[in-house]
Amino acid sequence: GQQVMQIPQYQHVQEGEDFTTYCNSSTTLSNIQWYKQRPGGHPVFLIQLVKSGEVKKQKRLTFQFGEAKKNSSLHITATQTTDVGTYFCANGDTGNQFYFGTGTSLTVIP
Amino acid sequence: EPEVTQTPSHQVTQMGQEVILRCVPISNHLYFYWYRQILGQKVEFLVSFYNNEISEKSEIFDDQFSVERPDGSNFTLKIRSTKLEDSAMYFCASRRSGPGQPQHFGDGTRLSIL
């Protein structure tokens, strides 16, 4: 299956600092989805990006899809302790299969 | 809000035994999925199911695995001849038809092979 890499693997931030995770693919992605998984929980859908260069915002979260549709990023402004969890990007293939990235585990230090 | 439900929450099985993991997708959803997550690792796609047949499957989903929709509500994953490395969290997900529809995940079944 397609390999989708995420960096960093782990990120520790002080509450109030910003956080960014990057998702990279060697092949062009038809679309990208972002999920959040709280510790001990299940993945929860955040957003889907489809268009080249697309930017979407959800409150303090900003999602971006690269112009070449090979990368994506999630940026959180002014992190809060409720942002703790692992953030995964997932490649929504043209078929009916989804390959998740390696994930970035976010720890927010109060 | 409707949820995907999975049972059992935890399954402990002896190596070599067969297990069946159960899922009840959201009622008006048409696409169903099984994923595996080994502790501390990423979520791995196993199989997708649509219109009563397998739509896509990954390299992980070999002859040891099978899926079934035995009735109008349940969606099951069967693992035959379990191995130690099958120990993981197994998530079921479902989504509606149409582009951009999000997948809704269940709480998962933790499978422990002894």
Side-chain angles (χ1 to χ4, degrees), chain A residues 3-79:
Chain A
Q3 294 292 323
V4 182
M5 302 302 295
Q6 276 183 259
I7 54 171
Q9 188 175 0
Y10 302 97
Q11 183 79 61
H12 291 68
V13 299
Q14 288 288 141
E15 188 172 17
E17 291 182 339
D18 293 355
F19 160 76
T20 305
T21 173
Y22 300 91
C23 181
N24 297 294
S25 170
S26 57
T27 58
T28 302
L29 305 169
S30 56
N31 62 71
I32 198 91
Q33 296 182 347
W34 284 94
Y35 291 80
K36 176 183 178 181
Q37 185 177 28
R38 293 182 186 275
H42 59 267
V44 175
F45 176 83
L46 295 176
I47 210 158
Q48 174 166 291
L49 304 172
V50 179
K51 299 176 185 175
S52 168
E54 188 171 14
V55 178
K56 287 187 176 179
K57 293 192 175 185
Q58 289 179 352
K59 297 181 180 178
R60 294 179 294 104
L61 278 60
T62 302
F63 304 85
Q64 192 163 4
F65 203 5
E67 293 290 341
K69 298 182 75 173
K70 288 186 175 182
N71 57 74
S72 181
S73 64
L74 158 59
H75 179 82
I76 302 178
T77 303
T79 54

Coordinates of all heavy atoms in Angstrom, one line a residue, chain A residues 3-79:
Chain A
Q3 N 2.7 4.5 1.1 CA 3.3 4.9 2.3 C 3.1 6.4 2.5 O 3.4 7.2 1.7 CB 4.8 4.6 2.3 CG 5.1 3.1 2.2 CD 4.8 2.4 3.5 OE1 5.0 2.9 4.6 NE2 4.3 1.2 3.4
V4 N 2.6 6.8 3.7 CA 2.4 8.1 4.1 C 3.2 8.4 5.4 O 2.9 7.8 6.4 CB 0.9 8.5 4.3 CG1 0.7 9.9 4.6 CG2 0.1 8.1 3.0
M5 N 4.2 9.3 5.3 CA 5.0 9.5 6.4 C 4.6 10.8 7.1 O 4.2 11.8 6.4 CB 6.5 9.6 6.0 CG 7.0 8.4 5.2 SD 6.9 6.9 6.2 CE 8.0 7.3 7.6
Q6 N 4.7 10.8 8.4 CA 4.4 12.0 9.2 C 5.6 12.4 10.0 O 6.3 11.5 10.6 CB 3.2 11.8 10.1 CG 1.9 12.0 9.4 CD 0.8 11.8 10.4 OE1 0.1 10.8 10.5 NE2 0.5 12.8 11.2
I7 N 5.8 13.6 10.2 CA 6.9 14.2 11.1 C 6.3 15.4 11.8 O 5.5 16.1 11.3 CB 8.2 14.6 10.3 CG1 7.9 15.5 9.2 CG2 8.9 13.3 9.8 CD1 9.1 16.1 8.6
P8 N 6.7 15.5 13.1 CA 7.6 14.6 13.9 C 6.8 13.4 14.4 O 5.6 13.4 14.3 CB 8.1 15.5 15.0 CG 6.9 16.4 15.2 CD 6.4 16.7 13.9
Q9 N 7.4 12.5 15.0 CA 6.8 11.3 15.5 C 6.2 11.7 16.9 O 5.1 11.3 17.3 CB 7.7 10.2 15.7 CG 7.0 8.9 16.1 CD 8.0 7.7 16.2 OE1 9.2 7.8 15.9 NE2 7.5 6.5 16.6
Y10 N 6.9 12.5 17.6 CA 6.5 13.0 18.9 C 6.7 14.5 19.0 O 7.7 15.0 18.4 CB 7.2 12.3 20.1 CG 7.1 10.8 20.1 CD1 8.1 10.0 19.5 CD2 6.1 10.2 20.7 CE1 8.1 8.7 19.5 CE2 6.0 8.8 20.7 CZ 7.0 8.1 20.1 OH 6.9 6.7 20.1
Q11 N 5.9 15.2 19.7 CA 6.0 16.6 20.0 C 5.5 17.0 21.4 O 4.4 16.7 21.7 CB 5.3 17.4 18.9 CG 5.5 18.9 19.0 CD 6.8 19.4 18.4 OE1 7.1 19.2 17.2 NE2 7.6 20.0 19.2
H12 N 6.4 17.6 22.1 CA 6.0 18.1 23.4 C 6.0 19.6 23.4 O 7.0 20.2 22.9 CB 7.0 17.7 24.5 CG 7.0 16.2 24.8 ND1 7.4 15.3 23.9 CD2 6.6 15.5 25.9 CE1 7.2 14.1 24.4 NE2 6.7 14.2 25.6
V13 N 4.9 20.3 23.8 CA 4.8 21.7 23.7 C 4.3 22.2 25.1 O 3.5 21.5 25.8 CB 4.0 22.2 22.6 CG1 4.5 21.8 21.2 CG2 2.5 21.8 22.7
Q14 N 4.6 23.4 25.4 CA 4.0 24.1 26.5 C 2.6 24.6 26.1 O 2.4 25.0 24.9 CB 4.9 25.3 27.0 CG 6.2 25.0 27.6 CD 6.0 24.4 29.1 OE1 6.7 23.5 29.5 NE2 5.0 25.0 29.8
E15 N 1.7 24.5 27.0 CA 0.4 25.0 26.7 C 0.5 26.5 26.2 O 1.2 27.3 26.8 CB -0.5 24.9 28.0 CG -1.9 25.2 27.7 CD -2.8 25.0 28.9 OE1 -2.2 24.9 30.1 OE2 -4.0 24.8 28.8
G16 N -0.2 26.7 25.2 CA -0.1 28.1 24.6 C 0.8 28.2 23.4 O 0.6 29.1 22.6
E17 N 1.7 27.2 23.2 CA 2.6 27.2 22.1 C 1.8 26.6 20.9 O 0.8 25.9 21.0 CB 3.8 26.4 22.4 CG 4.8 27.1 23.4 CD 6.0 26.2 23.6 OE1 6.0 25.0 23.3 OE2 7.0 26.8 24.1
D18 N 2.4 26.9 19.7 CA 1.8 26.4 18.5 C 2.4 25.0 18.2 O 3.5 24.6 18.7 CB 2.1 27.3 17.3 CG 1.4 28.6 17.4 OD1 0.5 28.8 18.3 OD2 1.6 29.5 16.5
F19 N 1.7 24.2 17.3 CA 2.1 22.9 17.0 C 1.8 22.6 15.5 O 0.7 23.0 15.0 CB 1.3 21.9 17.9 CG 1.3 20.5 17.3 CD1 2.4 19.6 17.4 CD2 0.1 20.0 16.7 CE1 2.3 18.3 16.9 CE2 0.0 18.7 16.2 CZ 1.1 17.9 16.3
T20 N 2.7 22.0 14.8 CA 2.5 21.6 13.4 C 2.9 20.2 13.2 O 4.0 19.8 13.6 CB 3.2 22.5 12.5 OG1 2.9 23.9 12.7 CG2 2.9 22.2 11.0
T21 N 2.1 19.4 12.5 CA 2.5 18.1 12.0 C 2.4 18.1 10.5 O 1.5 18.7 9.9 CB 1.7 17.0 12.7 OG1 2.0 15.7 12.0 CG2 0.2 17.2 12.5
Y22 N 3.4 17.3 9.9 CA 3.5 17.3 8.4 C 3.3 15.9 7.9 O 3.8 14.9 8.5 CB 4.8 17.8 8.0 CG 5.1 19.2 8.4 CD1 5.8 19.5 9.6 CD2 4.8 20.3 7.6 CE1 6.0 20.8 10.1 CE2 5.1 21.6 8.0 CZ 5.7 21.8 9.2 OH 5.9 23.1 9.6
C23 N 2.6 15.8 6.8 CA 2.3 14.5 6.2 C 2.9 14.5 4.8 O 2.6 15.5 4.0 CB 0.8 14.4 6.2 SG 0.2 12.9 5.5
N24 N 3.6 13.5 4.4 CA 4.3 13.5 3.1 C 4.1 12.2 2.4 O 4.2 11.1 3.1 CB 5.8 13.7 3.3 CG 6.1 15.1 3.9 OD1 5.8 16.1 3.3 ND2 6.6 15.1 5.1
S25 N 3.9 12.3 1.1 CA 3.7 11.1 0.3 C 4.7 11.2 -0.9 O 4.9 12.3 -1.4 CB 2.3 11.0 -0.1 OG 2.1 9.9 -1.1
S26 N 5.1 10.0 -1.4 CA 6.0 10.0 -2.5 C 5.1 10.1 -3.8 O 5.6 10.3 -4.9 CB 6.9 8.8 -2.6 OG 6.1 7.6 -2.5
T27 N 3.8 9.8 -3.7 CA 2.9 9.8 -4.8 C 1.9 10.8 -4.6 O 1.6 11.3 -3.5 CB 2.3 8.4 -5.0 OG1 1.6 8.1 -3.8 CG2 3.3 7.3 -5.3
T28 N 1.2 11.2 -5.7 CA 0.1 12.2 -5.6 C -1.1 11.6 -4.9 O -1.5 10.5 -5.2 CB -0.2 12.6 -7.0 OG1 0.9 13.2 -7.7 CG2 -1.4 13.7 -7.0
L29 N -1.6 12.4 -4.0 CA -2.8 11.9 -3.2 C -4.1 12.4 -3.9 O -4.2 13.6 -4.2 CB -2.7 12.4 -1.8 CG -1.4 12.0 -1.1 CD1 -1.3 12.7 0.3 CD2 -1.3 10.5 -0.8
S30 N -5.1 11.6 -3.9 CA -6.4 12.0 -4.4 C -7.0 13.0 -3.4 O -7.7 13.9 -3.8 CB -7.3 10.9 -4.8 OG -7.4 10.0 -3.7
N31 N -6.9 12.6 -2.2 CA -7.4 13.5 -1.1 C -6.7 13.1 0.2 O -6.0 12.1 0.2 CB -8.9 13.4 -0.9 CG -9.4 12.0 -0.6 OD1 -9.2 11.5 0.5 ND2 -10.0 11.3 -1.5
I32 N -6.8 13.9 1.2 CA -6.2 13.6 2.5 C -7.2 13.8 3.6 O -8.0 14.8 3.5 CB -4.9 14.5 2.7 CG1 -4.0 13.9 3.8 CG2 -5.2 15.9 3.0 CD1 -3.0 12.9 3.3
Q33 N -7.2 12.9 4.5 CA -8.1 13.1 5.7 C -7.2 13.2 6.9 O -6.1 12.6 7.0 CB -9.1 11.9 5.9 CG -10.0 11.8 4.7 CD -11.0 10.6 4.9 OE1 -10.8 9.8 5.8 NE2 -12.1 10.6 4.1
W34 N -7.7 13.9 7.9 CA -7.0 14.1 9.2 C -7.9 13.5 10.3 O -9.1 13.8 10.3 CB -6.6 15.5 9.5 CG -5.5 16.0 8.7 CD1 -5.5 16.7 7.5 CD2 -4.1 15.9 9.1 NE1 -4.2 16.9 7.1 CE2 -3.3 16.5 8.0 CE3 -3.4 15.3 10.1 CZ2 -1.9 16.5 8.0 CZ3 -2.0 15.4 10.2 CH2 -1.3 16.0 9.1
Y35 N -7.3 12.8 11.2 CA -7.9 12.2 12.4 C -7.2 12.5 13.6 O -6.0 12.6 13.6 CB -8.0 10.6 12.2 CG -8.9 10.2 11.1 CD1 -8.5 10.1 9.8 CD2 -10.2 9.7 11.4 CE1 -9.4 9.7 8.8 CE2 -11.1 9.3 10.4 CZ -10.7 9.3 9.1 OH -11.5 8.9 8.1
K36 N -7.9 12.5 14.7 CA -7.3 12.7 16.0 C -7.7 11.5 16.9 O -8.8 11.0 16.9 CB -7.8 13.9 16.8 CG -7.3 14.1 18.2 CD -7.9 15.3 18.8 CE -7.4 15.5 20.3 NZ -8.0 16.7 20.9
Q37 N -6.7 10.9 17.6 CA -6.9 9.8 18.4 C -6.4 10.1 19.8 O -5.2 10.3 20.1 CB -6.2 8.5 17.9 CG -6.5 7.3 18.7 CD -5.8 6.0 18.1 OE1 -4.8 6.1 17.5 NE2 -6.4 4.9 18.4
R38 N -7.4 10.3 20.8 CA -7.0 10.5 22.1 C -6.4 9.2 22.7 O -6.7 8.1 22.3 CB -8.2 10.9 23.0 CG -8.8 12.3 22.6 CD -9.9 12.6 23.5 NE -10.6 13.9 23.1 CZ -10.2 15.1 23.4 NH1 -9.1 15.2 24.2 NH2 -10.8 16.1 23.0
P39 N -5.5 9.4 23.8 CA -5.0 8.2 24.4 C -6.0 7.2 24.8 O -7.0 7.6 25.5 CB -4.2 8.8 25.6 CG -3.9 10.2 25.2 CD -5.0 10.6 24.3
G40 N -5.9 6.0 24.4 CA -6.9 4.9 24.7 C -8.2 5.0 23.9 O -9.1 4.3 24.2
G41 N -8.3 5.9 23.0 CA -9.5 6.1 22.2 C -9.4 5.6 20.8 O -8.4 5.0 20.4
H42 N -10.4 6.0 20.0 CA -10.4 5.6 18.6 C -10.2 6.8 17.8 O -10.4 8.0 18.2 CB -11.8 4.9 18.3 CG -13.0 5.8 18.5 ND1 -13.7 5.7 19.7 CD2 -13.6 6.7 17.8 CE1 -14.7 6.6 19.6 NE2 -14.6 7.1 18.5
P43 N -9.8 6.6 16.5 CA -9.6 7.8 15.6 C -10.9 8.5 15.4 O -12.0 7.9 15.2 CB -9.1 7.2 14.3 CG -8.5 5.9 14.7 CD -9.4 5.4 15.9
V44 N -10.9 9.8 15.4 CA -12.0 10.7 15.2 C -11.7 11.6 14.0 O -10.7 12.3 14.0 CB -12.4 11.5 16.4 CG1 -13.5 12.5 16.1 CG2 -12.8 10.6 17.6
F45 N -12.6 11.6 13.0 CA -12.4 12.3 11.8 C -12.4 13.8 12.1 O -13.3 14.3 12.9 CB -13.5 12.0 10.8 CG -13.5 12.8 9.6 CD1 -12.7 12.4 8.5 CD2 -14.4 13.9 9.4 CE1 -12.8 13.2 7.3 CE2 -14.4 14.7 8.3 CZ -13.6 14.3 7.2
L46 N -11.4 14.5 11.5 CA -11.4 16.0 11.7 C -11.8 16.7 10.4 O -12.7 17.6 10.4 CB -10.0 16.4 12.1 CG -9.4 16.0 13.4 CD1 -8.0 16.4 13.6 CD2 -10.3 16.5 14.6
I47 N -11.2 16.3 9.3 CA -11.4 17.1 8.1 C -10.9 16.3 6.9 O -10.1 15.4 7.0 CB -10.8 18.4 8.1 CG1 -11.5 19.5 7.3 CG2 -9.3 18.4 7.7 CD1 -11.2 20.9 7.7
Q48 N -11.4 16.6 5.7 CA -10.9 16.1 4.4 C -10.5 17.2 3.5 O -11.3 18.2 3.4 CB -11.9 15.2 3.7 CG -11.5 14.7 2.4 CD -12.3 13.6 1.8 OE1 -12.2 12.5 2.2 NE2 -13.0 13.9 0.7
L49 N -9.4 17.1 2.9 CA -8.9 18.1 1.9 C -8.8 17.4 0.5 O -8.4 16.2 0.4 CB -7.5 18.6 2.2 CG -7.4 19.2 3.6 CD1 -5.9 19.6 4.0 CD2 -8.2 20.5 3.7
V50 N -9.3 18.1 -0.5 CA -9.4 17.5 -1.8 C -8.6 18.3 -2.9 O -8.0 17.7 -3.7 CB -10.9 17.3 -2.3 CG1 -11.0 16.7 -3.7 CG2 -11.6 16.5 -1.3
K51 N -8.7 19.6 -2.8 CA -8.2 20.4 -3.9 C -6.7 20.8 -3.6 O -6.3 21.0 -2.5 CB -9.0 21.7 -4.0 CG -10.4 21.4 -4.3 CD -11.2 22.7 -4.3 CE -12.7 22.5 -4.6 NZ -13.5 23.8 -4.4
S52 N -5.9 20.9 -4.7 CA -4.6 21.4 -4.6 C -4.5 22.7 -4.0 O -5.3 23.6 -4.3 CB -4.0 21.4 -6.0 OG -2.8 22.1 -6.1
G53 N -3.6 22.9 -2.9 CA -3.5 24.2 -2.3 C -4.6 24.5 -1.3 O -4.6 25.6 -0.8
E54 N -5.5 23.6 -1.1 CA -6.6 23.9 -0.2 C -6.2 24.2 1.2 O -5.3 23.5 1.7 CB -7.6 22.7 -0.3 CG -8.9 23.0 0.4 CD -9.9 21.9 0.1 OE1 -9.5 20.8 -0.3 OE2 -11.1 22.1 0.4
V55 N -6.9 25.2 1.8 CA -6.7 25.5 3.2 C -8.0 25.5 3.9 O -8.9 26.2 3.4 CB -5.9 26.9 3.4 CG1 -5.8 27.2 4.9 CG2 -4.6 26.9 2.7
K56 N -8.1 24.8 5.0 CA -9.4 24.8 5.8 C -9.1 25.1 7.2 O -8.0 24.7 7.7 CB -10.1 23.5 5.7 CG -10.8 23.2 4.3 CD -11.6 22.0 4.4 CE -12.4 21.8 3.0 NZ -13.2 20.6 3.1
K57 N -10.0 25.8 7.9 CA -9.8 26.1 9.3 C -10.9 25.6 10.2 O -12.1 25.6 9.8 CB -9.6 27.6 9.5 CG -8.4 28.2 8.9 CD -8.1 29.6 9.4 CE -6.8 30.1 8.8 NZ -6.4 31.4 9.3
Q58 N -10.6 25.1 11.4 CA -11.5 24.7 12.4 C -11.0 25.3 13.7 O -10.2 24.8 14.3 CB -11.6 23.2 12.5 CG -12.3 22.4 11.4 CD -12.3 20.9 11.7 OE1 -11.7 20.5 12.6 NE2 -13.0 20.2 10.8
K59 N -11.6 26.5 14.0 CA -11.2 27.2 15.2 C -9.7 27.4 15.2 O -9.1 28.1 14.4 CB -11.7 26.4 16.5 CG -13.2 26.4 16.5 CD -13.7 25.7 17.8 CE -15.2 25.6 17.8 NZ -15.7 24.9 19.0
R60 N -9.0 26.7 16.2 CA -7.5 26.9 16.3 C -6.7 26.0 15.3 O -5.5 26.0 15.3 CB -7.1 26.7 17.7 CG -7.6 27.7 18.7 CD -7.2 27.4 20.1 NE -7.8 26.1 20.6 CZ -7.1 25.0 20.7 NH1 -5.8 24.9 20.4 NH2 -7.7 23.9 21.2
L61 N -7.4 25.1 14.6 CA -6.7 24.2 13.7 C -6.8 24.7 12.3 O -7.8 25.1 11.8 CB -7.4 22.8 13.8 CG -7.1 21.9 14.9 CD1 -7.4 22.5 16.3 CD2 -7.8 20.5 14.8
T62 N -5.6 24.6 11.6 CA -5.5 25.0 10.2 C -5.0 23.8 9.4 O -3.9 23.3 9.8 CB -4.7 26.2 10.0 OG1 -5.2 27.3 10.7 CG2 -4.6 26.6 8.5
F63 N -5.7 23.4 8.4 CA -5.3 22.3 7.6 C -4.9 22.8 6.2 O -5.6 23.6 5.6 CB -6.4 21.3 7.4 CG -6.9 20.8 8.7 CD1 -7.9 21.5 9.4 CD2 -6.5 19.6 9.3 CE1 -8.4 21.0 10.6 CE2 -7.0 19.1 10.5 CZ -7.9 19.8 11.2
Q64 N -3.8 22.2 5.6 CA -3.4 22.7 4.3 C -3.0 21.5 3.4 O -2.4 20.5 3.9 CB -2.2 23.6 4.5 CG -1.8 24.3 3.2 CD -0.9 25.5 3.5 OE1 -0.5 25.7 4.7 NE2 -0.6 26.3 2.5
F65 N -3.4 21.5 2.2 CA -3.0 20.5 1.2 C -2.1 21.1 0.2 O -2.3 22.2 -0.3 CB -4.3 20.0 0.5 CG -4.2 18.7 -0.1 CD1 -3.1 17.8 0.0 CD2 -5.2 18.2 -0.9 CE1 -3.0 16.6 -0.5 CE2 -5.2 16.9 -1.4 CZ -4.1 16.1 -1.2
G66 N -0.9 20.5 0.0 CA 0.1 21.1 -0.9 C -0.3 21.2 -2.3 O -1.2 20.6 -2.8
E67 N 0.4 22.1 -3.0 CA 0.0 22.4 -4.4 C 0.2 21.2 -5.3 O -0.6 20.9 -6.2 CB 0.9 23.5 -5.0 CG 0.7 24.9 -4.3 CD -0.6 25.5 -4.7 OE1 -1.2 25.1 -5.8 OE2 -1.1 26.4 -4.0
A68 N 1.1 20.3 -5.0 CA 1.4 19.1 -5.8 C 0.6 17.9 -5.2 O 0.7 16.8 -5.8 CB 2.9 18.8 -5.8
K69 N -0.2 18.2 -4.2 CA -1.0 17.1 -3.6 C -0.2 15.9 -3.1 O -0.6 14.8 -3.2 CB -2.1 16.7 -4.5 CG -3.1 17.8 -4.8 CD -4.3 17.4 -5.7 CE -5.3 16.6 -5.0 NZ -6.5 16.3 -5.8
K70 N 1.1 16.2 -2.7 CA 1.9 15.2 -2.1 C 2.2 15.4 -0.6 O 2.8 14.6 0.0 CB 3.2 15.1 -2.9 CG 3.1 14.6 -4.3 CD 4.5 14.4 -4.9 CE 4.4 13.8 -6.3 NZ 5.8 13.6 -6.8
N71 N 1.7 16.5 -0.1 CA 1.9 16.8 1.3 C 0.8 17.6 1.9 O 0.0 18.2 1.2 CB 3.3 17.5 1.6 CG 3.3 18.8 0.8 OD1 2.7 19.7 1.1 ND2 4.1 18.8 -0.3
S72 N 0.7 17.5 3.2 CA -0.3 18.2 3.9 C 0.2 18.6 5.3 O 1.1 18.0 5.8 CB -1.6 17.3 4.1 OG -2.6 18.0 4.7
S73 N -0.4 19.5 5.9 CA 0.0 19.9 7.3 C -1.3 20.3 8.1 O -2.3 20.6 7.6 CB 0.9 21.1 7.3 OG 0.3 22.2 6.7
L74 N -1.1 20.1 9.4 CA -2.1 20.5 10.4 C -1.4 21.4 11.4 O -0.3 21.0 12.0 CB -2.6 19.2 11.1 CG -3.3 19.4 12.5 CD1 -4.4 20.4 12.4 CD2 -3.7 18.1 13.1
H75 N -1.9 22.6 11.6 CA -1.3 23.5 12.5 C -2.3 23.9 13.6 O -3.4 24.2 13.3 CB -0.9 24.8 11.8 CG -0.3 25.8 12.6 ND1 1.1 25.8 13.0 CD2 -0.8 26.9 13.2 CE1 1.3 26.9 13.8 NE2 0.2 27.6 13.9
I76 N -1.9 23.8 14.8 CA -2.7 24.1 16.0 C -2.1 25.4 16.6 O -0.9 25.4 17.0 CB -2.8 23.0 17.0 CG1 -3.4 21.8 16.4 CG2 -3.8 23.5 18.1 CD1 -3.5 20.6 17.3
T77 N -2.9 26.4 16.7 CA -2.5 27.7 17.3 C -2.8 27.6 18.8 O -3.9 27.2 19.2 CB -3.2 28.9 16.7 OG1 -2.9 28.8 15.2 CG2 -2.7 30.2 17.2
A78 N -1.9 28.1 19.6 CA -2.1 28.2 21.1 C -2.7 26.9 21.7 O -3.9 26.9 22.1 CB -3.0 29.4 21.4
T79 N -1.9 25.9 21.7 CA -2.4 24.6 22.1 C -3.0 24.6 23.5 O -2.6 25.4 24.4 CB -1.2 23.6 22.1 OG1 -0.1 24.1 22.9 CG2 -0.8 23.2 20.7

